[in-house]
Amino acid sequence: STIHSLVFFLHRSERRGIHVDQSELLCTKGCGFYGNAAWQGLCSKCWREEYQQTRHKQIQEDHALAERLQKEEEAAYANNHQGAAQPQPAIAPFSKFEERKTKEKSRKVNTMTKFFTPSAKTPPKKESVPGEALTTPSPSVSRKPLETDRTTREFIDFLKTLKPGREIFKQCRAFTESMAYKRDLGADELSECVQDFYQNLSDRLHTHFKGSSERVESVMDEVERYMMTRLYEEVFCPETTDDEKKDLAIQKRIRALHWVTIEMLCVPVDEEIPEVSDNVVKAITDVIEMDSKRVPRDKLTCITRCSKHIFNAINTTKKEAASADDFLPTLIYIVLKANPPRLQSNIQYITRFCNPSRLMSGEDGYYFTNLCCAVAFIEKLDGQSLNLSVEEFDLYMSGQASPQRPQAVPSPACSAAFSQMNESLDLLTGLGVRQERVMEGARRLESDLIDWRDGVEHKVQDVLERFPLEMHPPASPTASSAIDADNVENDHLPSPLQPQLFAG
């Protein structure tokens, strides 16, 4: 497959690094579309054809086996009842069973044969305003979370502008409600149901829009958003799969590879550059944010944004256009640093339920294929991939040793910066010593002030104890009216002199 050839090409490369030919990302059948590891290197179109052929072959084998067993049973029955007076009724021919099976199969295929025409069996309804059916969602929709209700309203508003919008909404709503009765099916069967619906609807839309691919894709994007928002809880990481087990395995694997350095992967990114570091952080954020989205297309958008930030980081570092040999190692490094939650479940969810045209071509398909390659490489990563011996790789994986970080040779600008930094550190150290001295003097002054206050209070108390204050009652008003009231001779004194005026 594509992934196996990628790993083999990496191991046999004479120089270190991860190198992949772009042809290895394409479908192994040579159709020109992007392949996928989950589809054994095939694109979604070729995979469905292979899957249907395999299933048809299995049905034929089951039919042949059942027919052979039927004949053996009839022969055994005839041998055991030879000579009986009353001949036993023959067992129902196998063609009846085959007919019932064919009817059951054709019932699924013909779900959209009357997509744009009203059914003749539908009883006439009362006249209604055009678009009235679109404004009344199913009662089951109201029980969905707020996001589902909002998506339904947006889908209805979008379909109001289309002539077949009412029929599209009816078919999508009927299909999503019918999926509630298929929870016991396996993930592949659920995916096949959704992909069949996509294919039938796309064919009808191409006929209606007369081959306008852009309009068909815009409608299919809204259909996917509406359907997968409603079906997300039922089809994401279903219990019938081992997706959760794979999630835990890849998370544990990435945690064990925490020691892998950017130099081991030959990643052409210099995180010392602020702009590059900012793009690396944004790429990590985007690939982690993928898990919070419910629609496959939105998850693909997160992968695309992450990849564009990676290209920006490479371009800034190299000051030239990045190549595919630069992109894939950097994507592996981002995945190792991010350790995205439920990584395998998200990849499987996109693979199973995304609009297949987005995975087959375009930048979304290219970046998603590279992400699948990156995850497969991480799962198969060994010492040879990182130019390490088996002993070194085992020691690092067990945590008994850690790789030494290479010491970078400082440039003149860095040397000047380091010198200035050392001078600043020395100055800060001196300021710290001086501050400590000032603080010590302040503490001594505070202690002296406390002792002085205590001494003053003690002396004041001692004086008060030695010379207590005596309080006398106030004198009466009459006794205190004359200054010399106690001198009895004052009454015999002459009257005071009066001033006299003399004429000049």
Side-chain angles (χ1 to χ4, degrees), residues 146-183:
L146 180 61
E147 181 179 358
T148 304
D149 296 338
R150 184 179 65 253
T151 303
T152 302
R153 291 194 297 270
E154 292 174 353
F155 185 54
I156 291 173
D157 293 339
F158 172 80
L159 292 179
K160 285 180 179 179
T161 61
L162 303 177
K163 185 176 181 180
R166 181 179 303 178
E167 289 299 324
I168 294 175
F169 180 75
K170 287 182 180 179
Q171 293 292 335
C172 292
R173 182 176 62 181
F175 178 80
T176 53
E177 291 177 350
S178 68
M179 290 291 287
Y181 303 99
K182 302 177 182 179
R183 295 176 180 175

Side-chain angles (χ1 to χ4, degrees), residues 9 153 169 180 259 271 307 354 372 404 406 432 501:
F9 183 71
R153 291 194 297 270
F169 180 75
W259 49 268
E271 293 188 88
S307 302
C354 183
C372 295
Q404 294 182 353
L501 297 176

Side-chain angles (χ1 to χ4, degrees), residues 207-272:
T207 302
H208 177 75
F209 291 120
K210 298 180 181 179
S212 178
S213 299
E214 293 184 359
R215 297 193 65 183
V216 172
E217 287 300 318
S218 65
V219 175
M220 292 303 300
D221 287 340
E222 295 300 324
V223 168
E224 178 190 307
R225 179 177 300 279
Y226 167 74
M227 288 176 47
M228 299 319 300
T229 302
R230 289 172 59 106
L231 297 175
Y232 178 80
E233 300 294 340
E234 287 77 16
V235 300
F236 182 85
C237 191
E239 297 180 355
T240 56
T241 66
D242 58 348
D243 292 349
E244 185 175 0
K245 182 179 179 181
K246 292 180 179 178
D247 289 335
L248 297 176
I250 192 64
Q251 268 199 335
K252 183 178 179 181
R253 175 71 172 174
I254 293 177
R255 282 198 299 267
L257 292 169
H258 66 90
W259 49 268
V260 176
T261 64
I262 198 170
E263 293 78 18
M264 292 178 180
L265 294 171
C266 297
V267 176
V269 166
D270 184 6
E271 293 188 88
E272 296 297 329

Side-chain angles (χ1 to χ4, degrees), residues 1-11 24 376 380:
S1 67
T2 302
I3 304 303
H4 292 151
S5 60
L6 166 65
V7 177
F8 174 75
F9 183 71
L10 168 67
H11 286 172
E24 296 179 1
K380 300 178 182 296

Side-chain angles (χ1 to χ4, degrees), residues 25 58 67 77 84 97 123 141 165 170 177 199 251 263 291 305 314 331 340 433 455 480:
L25 301 178
Q58 185 65 39
E67 191 172 21
Y77 179 82
F97 168 77
V141 177
K170 287 182 180 179
E177 291 177 350
Q199 186 62 46
Q251 268 199 335
E263 293 78 18
D291 184 60
R305 286 204 311 265
I314 298 173
L331 179 59
V433 174
S480 60

Side-chain angles (χ1 to χ4, degrees), residues 45-103:
K45 181 176 179 293
C46 295
W47 170 253
R48 290 194 67 216
E49 292 176 354
E50 288 285 336
Y51 179 81
Q52 292 175 354
Q53 290 177 3
T54 303
R55 187 173 62 175
H56 182 66
K57 182 179 178 181
Q58 185 65 39
I59 292 174
Q60 289 181 336
E61 292 177 354
D62 293 343
H63 172 80
L65 177 60
E67 191 172 21
R68 180 171 60 83
L69 294 176
Q70 180 74 17
K71 291 179 179 179
E72 292 178 357
E73 185 177 354
E74 290 178 353
Y77 179 82
N79 293 334
N80 292 334
H81 294 78
Q82 286 181 354
Q86 291 289 339
Q88 298 294 330
I91 299 177
F94 184 77
S95 59
K96 296 283 184 145
F97 168 77
E98 182 182 6
E99 182 180 356
R100 289 196 301 271
K101 191 170 184 179
T102 304
K103 288 182 179 180

Side-chain angles (χ1 to χ4, degrees), residues 295-316:
V295 183
R297 183 192 175 193
D298 293 342
K299 294 181 182 291
L300 281 178
T301 301
C302 291
I303 298 173
T304 301
R305 286 204 311 265
C306 168
S307 302
K308 290 184 177 180
H309 287 311
I310 290 175
F311 273 107
N312 290 336
I314 298 173
N315 295 337
T316 304

